[in-house]
Amino acid sequence: VYDDPITSATKKAAKQVKRLIWCTGKIYYDLLEKQRAENRYDVAIARLEQLYPFPTKQYEAILAKYPKRVQITWVQEEPLNMGAWQFILSNRRNDNIYEIGRRASASPATGYNKIFKIEQKAIIERAFTL
């Protein structure tokens, strides 16, 4: 479990966060690129790189660093009926987590790189839209 190194560096920085994004895998690097390119430190990005067993203590320790009013969001590049979202939802049902990902699908990928890139860009944009 990794917290955002910039927004969690000081209490002052953490207080400015309006959205806490949780993710796993390579989408983190796409989110990080946008955060840095646009100096969007009102959005923190935390990573869960171990999903099972769910790291409850570490997860809650990161949540505690941010304001209680922070919007918690799970972002994934997989369709929402696949990937880690359902597992996260089952473990953190009481957190009011907002989800961002591809719409539910029978296939894990579109099969077309051009469409994948368009969808990926839309996911990243939505993640930073408050």
Side-chain angles (χ1 to χ4, degrees), residues 42-93:
D42 58 329
V43 177
I45 306 167
R47 295 184 289 162
L48 287 173
E49 295 300 341
Q50 173 185 310
L51 297 172
Y52 187 84
F54 191 82
T56 302
K57 286 183 183 179
Q58 296 92 332
Y59 177 92
E60 290 176 354
I62 289 174
L63 275 183
K65 293 180 182 180
Y66 296 99
K68 295 214 183 280
R69 61 169 170 61
V70 73
Q71 182 186 52
I72 304 168
T73 306
W74 177 261
V75 177
Q76 68 180 37
E77 59 188 353
E78 298 87 1
L80 291 171
N81 61 321
M82 299 178 193
W85 168 241
Q86 295 299 319
F87 181 74
I88 298 301
L89 183 60
S90 69
N91 279 277
R92 303 306 302 181
R93 190 167 301 280

Side-chain angles (χ1 to χ4, degrees), residues 11-29:
K11 286 184 181 183
K12 182 180 178 183
K15 286 182 182 181
Q16 295 177 22
V17 172
K18 295 178 182 156
R19 176 178 284 175
L20 173 58
I21 294 174
W22 286 95
C23 64
T24 190
K26 83 168 196 64
I27 198 163
Y28 167 76
Y29 297 99

